[in-house]
Amino acid sequence: MSRIFSGIQPSGELHIGNYLGAVQNWVRLQEGRDATFFCVVDLHALTGNYEPSDLRRRRHEMAVSLLAAGLDPERCTLFFQSGVPQHAELAWIFNTVTPLGELERQTQYKDKSARQESVLTGVLTYPVLQAADILLYHATRVPVGEDQVQHLELSREIARRWNHRFAAETPYFPEPQPLLTPVRRLMGLDGQAKMSKSLGNTIGLLETREQIWEKLRPAMTDPARIRRTDPGNPDVCNIYSLHKAFSDEPTQAIAAANCRGAAWGCIDCKKVLAESMETVLVPIRRRAADIGARPSYVTDVLEEGAKRARTIAQDTMRQVYERMGLTD
Ligand code: ATP
Ligand code: MG
């Protein structure tokens, strides 16, 4: 059976980069509770700096945000990673077939370790746990942003190596492929790096109109537009990439023409964008308020999800142990 799996860290609030690059696709791809698995990967979030009380709150908020964004517990299995201990168990198994050199050349490891004084092993072995997340469910399709494509390549490599060693005749693990959206990599508002929870350059999916405007107003645009009369190039402007994600096609065309012809200043363009974003985000905010008011509903949905996930995960581990000589 072909399955879909993907995850998101509760390392901060769900932002529009996560939404446009991944979560919007999750909502679209829901194919049923036994076919589509989405996970709040709280064990991954331990690899950054965090306070336990913040993590407890963020896990819950991430679950609320995902449900508000449109995940439907009738059409997918949504759960916390730590509720299914087999993720960590399979990660250990995969550690034993993963070459260190492959981990050291991962871009995310290089970026994240460069920002830390003392680098934790978990930052290095993060993609091994990620391979376990996916392969535990034999998932073949993984909707992610572009930054995760390299990690998925490694997941395939790990599957191949494990199969080669322990299931050479009939491969046991499939080789998972990424599924990307048109917005595969949204830049942060400073225009310097990808929008990331850990970099503080985000717009949260649930932020208010006023909060969004405070961030959009100073956001980076085409650097060639120094004066109001300078013509711009929408193709290099992060604000225009947001128009492409949030505005309807006629509005996108007007924004592009008025940028090129300098008929709009960047602030005019941002005001129109803010309106388009409201149209998309108001219903999500409303759902979040409804769901957030029912904390026990959220807990129940995720516990149910973990129960379903555990059944599959236990079966995978039985098969893995059997093939590895860990059973009598
Ligand atoms: P962190 O900074 O803690 O790594 P993050 O913002 O990168 O947080 P993740 O939980 O690592 O978020 O990723 C969740 C999903 O969102 C992944 O599929 C990832 O590829 C996607 N994603 C993250 N940032 C972007 C972005 N700027 N544009 C498109 N997709 C993104
Ligand atoms: Mg990330």
Side-chain angles (χ1 to χ4, degrees):
M1 174 179 207
S2 145
R3 290 213 178 95
I4 291 177
F5 177 94
S6 198
I8 185 163
Q9 299 186 71
S11 48
E13 59 182 350
L14 197 156
H15 57 74
I16 58 172
N18 300 140
Y19 180 66
L20 299 173
V23 174
Q24 206 174 32
N25 232 358
W26 300 6
V27 172
R28 204 170 56 76
L29 291 163
Q30 296 177 95
E31 288 174 355
R33 300 198 294 199
D34 293 326
T36 332
F37 291 77
F38 298 119
C39 188
V40 177
V41 289
D42 46 6
L43 296 177
H44 280 283
L46 309 182
T47 59
N49 267 333
Y50 78 98
E51 282 302 322
S53 57
D54 288 337
L55 182 59
R56 191 167 291 122
R57 177 177 49 79
R58 282 177 178 157
R59 264 166 37 110
H60 182 81
E61 285 172 1
M62 184 55 78
V64 171
S65 300
L66 291 171
L67 291 166
L71 288 190
D72 171 2
E74 296 298 321
R75 289 188 297 143
C76 73
T77 290
L78 175 64
F79 62 104
F80 292 122
Q81 185 185 29
S82 58
V84 184
Q86 288 79 7
H87 286 248
E89 204 178 345
L90 186 59
W92 173 255
I93 297 293
F94 284 163
N95 269 324
T96 67
V97 296
T98 307
L100 182 59
E102 294 285 332
L103 296 176
E104 283 169 338
R105 67 179 190 82
Q106 298 295 309
T107 308
Q108 181 173 298
Y109 166 69
K110 288 195 247 177
D111 286 352
K112 290 204 168 173
S113 61
R115 282 188 261 123
Q116 294 176 2
E117 255 177 45
S118 153
V119 182
L120 302 174
T121 311
V123 179
L124 179 71
T125 56
Y126 187 106
V128 181
L129 179 56
Q130 192 171 338
D133 299 337
I134 299 163
L135 294 173
L136 206 42
Y137 304 96
H138 290 251
T140 50
R141 294 178 293 157
V142 187
V144 285
E146 191 181 58
D147 62 318
Q148 296 304 318
V149 168
Q150 194 189 24
H151 285 170
L152 272 173
E153 194 184 311
L154 183 60
S155 290
R156 291 196 293 279
E157 173 72 18
I158 291 173
R160 272 196 295 275
R161 281 175 178 266
W162 191 92
N163 287 338
H164 180 71
R165 178 85 175 79
F166 301 107
E169 306 252 299
T170 326
Y172 178 65
F173 287 118
E175 294 188 20
Q177 300 293 337
L179 291 177
L180 298 170
T181 66
V183 187
R184 46 180 60 201
R185 179 188 168 87
L186 185 69
M187 294 300 281
L189 295 172
D190 49 8
Q192 302 300 311
K194 142 186 130 65
M195 187 176 281
S196 284
K197 284 182 240 104
S198 53
L199 293 178
N201 59 0
T202 62
I203 291 181
L205 197 65
L206 302 182
E207 286 195 84
T208 63
R209 182 190 192 111
E210 293 72 29
Q211 288 169 321
I212 292 176
W213 181 245
E214 281 308 299
K215 292 180 173 183
L216 276 185
R217 202 160 38 100
M220 171 102 163
T221 56
D222 175 2
R225 291 204 77 179
I226 297 161
R227 286 179 302 265
R228 167 76 172 72
T229 50
D230 292 334
N233 176 4
D235 297 329
V236 301
C237 180
N238 201 27
I239 295 300
Y240 185 65
S241 63
L242 288 172
H243 268 294
K244 284 201 287 190
F246 286 106
S247 297
D248 55 28
E249 281 185 17
T251 309
Q252 290 174 34
I254 293 168
N258 287 342
C259 174
R260 289 205 174 89
W264 279 354
C266 293
I267 216 73
D268 303 317
C269 188
K270 288 172 174 177
K271 281 182 185 155
V272 176
L273 171 64
E275 287 309 315
S276 302
M277 288 178 68
E278 277 300 290
T279 311
V280 176
L281 298 179
V282 161
I284 297 178
R285 262 182 235 142
R286 285 211 185 108
R287 278 200 296 273
D290 283 352
I291 297 164
R294 293 187 289 154
S296 62
Y297 164 76
V298 177
T299 312
D300 289 350
V301 163
L302 276 91
E303 266 175 17
E304 266 296 302
K307 208 184 280 175
R308 270 197 302 279
R310 274 196 301 269
T311 309
I312 299 168
Q314 277 160 358
D315 183 58
T316 302
M317 288 317 295
R318 254 196 309 274
Q319 305 271 351
V320 165
Y321 278 13
E322 171 79 38
R323 286 166 170 80
M324 293 182 79
L326 293 165
T327 51
D328 288 333

